[in-house]
Structure formats: structure tokens, C-alpha cells
Amino acid sequence: MKIKTRPYGEVEIDERQIMEFEHGILGFDFVRRFAILDSTDNSPFKWLQSLDEPDLAFVIIRPIDFMAEYNLVISSNDLEDLGAEVVEDLLVFAIVTIPSNPSEMTANLQGPILINAKNRRGKQAISQSDKYRVKHGILEEIKKMAADGE
């Protein structure tokens, strides 16, 4: 099916790419259907594109793409809402904020985007861990990973 997207204009997607967010995204609870679009430059960033509002799309990234270690801690209600038994059944993404100085970009690890690929249900949960913040510096974490790898 063809959809209108914010980053790429009209694109063709497979219907299996459509995710249902029963409660929407925090602040956008009226938007329920999303698709994940890969970036065109092979970067770890992706787009969480609304199908209901073509101008609404979020840049997202998997925490494991910029952190050496990430532990998802969510409530049992979140697992139940997504129809998952364990957190390992879920795809985890963080919404990225890119300010005018891209070196200060951050990821929201306190409100991760969770997707159960088996039933294509998605949800923005609230992390139960106090280790993660709403604005987690992506480049800071990459530098830590590089320093640990030396």
C-alpha cells in the first residue's frame, strides 16, 4: 500500500509494517497507526511514521545501537498490553530529539517505544528503571562505548 510520509513523500509499504498503538504516543494519543521506515543512508536511525497524520513522524533509534548496555524494565501491564510474555519478545526504540546542534541529540530512554513484532502492537511505556532519562545524550554514550572498547 502507498502512504504519505514526512521524510520521503509517498512510499510503498507492506501492510505487515503497520503497527497499532492502542493508546497512541504520549502527547499524540489520537494517532494509532504507525509504520517503521528505514533511513536511506544505512544509519541506525529510523522513522516512526504515523499513517493517520502524514506530517507526524519521529526519528527513532534502538538503544543498543548507541549504548553498550541497556536493560528494559517495564511493568507487567505493559507486557500484557503488548501481548508479550517477556521483554525479550519486544523491539525497543527510543524517540530522538535533534536540536539545532546535532551533536547534542538525545534519546528518550524513560519513555521507550515498544513493539511486539508478532502481533504488530506498539506502545510507548514508562521505564521502571531510574537509570534512564528523557534526554539521554546519544553521542556521550557512543564516546563511552568507544572508550570502553579501547
Side-chain angles (χ1 to χ4, degrees), residues 8-9 24 34 38 44 59 72 75 81 104 110 114 135 145 150:
Y8 308 120
F34 289 89
D38 288 329
V59 175
L72 178 64
S75 72
D81 287 349
E104 297 173 355
Q110 195 171 39
L114 308 174
K135 292 187 174 187
M145 271 190 347
E150 292 177 2

Side-chain angles (χ1 to χ4, degrees), residues 34-145:
F34 289 89
I36 294 177
L37 308 173
D38 288 329
S39 65
T40 56
D41 59 1
N42 293 323
S43 79
F45 299 101
K46 299 180 182 299
W47 288 93
L48 183 63
Q49 173 65 53
S50 165
L51 275 63
D52 303 317
E53 296 286 333
D55 289 334
L56 181 63
F58 301 95
V59 175
I60 59 174
I61 189 171
R62 296 180 316 165
I64 59 170
D65 287 334
F66 67 94
M67 300 182 76
E69 185 176 314
Y70 175 77
N71 297 311
L72 178 64
V73 182
I74 56 173
S75 72
S76 58
N77 287 341
D78 291 330
L79 282 174
E80 192 174 303
D81 287 349
L82 292 164
E85 292 184 20
V86 292
V87 294
E88 289 77 14
D89 290 343
L90 302 173
L91 301 174
V92 182
F93 296 95
I95 293 177
V96 175
T97 300
I98 304 174
S100 57
N101 179 357
S103 68
E104 297 173 355
M105 74 174 102
T106 59
N108 180 352
L109 296 179
Q110 195 171 39
I113 300 294
L114 308 174
I115 294 173
N116 183 343
K118 290 179 185 168
N119 60 19
R120 298 184 315 214
R121 276 195 233 162
K123 178 177 188 173
Q124 184 173 23
I126 302 297
S127 173
Q128 303 295 303
S129 171
D130 59 3
K131 285 174 43 179
Y132 305 118
R133 304 180 306 269
V134 173
K135 292 187 174 187
H136 219 85
I138 292 174
L139 295 182
E140 292 169 23
E141 291 296 335
I142 290 173
K143 287 177 185 172
K144 283 184 202 171
M145 271 190 347

Side-chain angles (χ1 to χ4, degrees), residues 20-34 58 113 122-125:
E20 295 286 336
F21 284 64
E22 183 180 353
H23 304 291
I25 300 289
L26 297 174
F28 301 94
D29 58 347
F30 57 94
V31 182
R32 305 286 167 84
R33 297 181 314 140
F34 289 89
F58 301 95
I113 300 294
K123 178 177 188 173
Q124 184 173 23

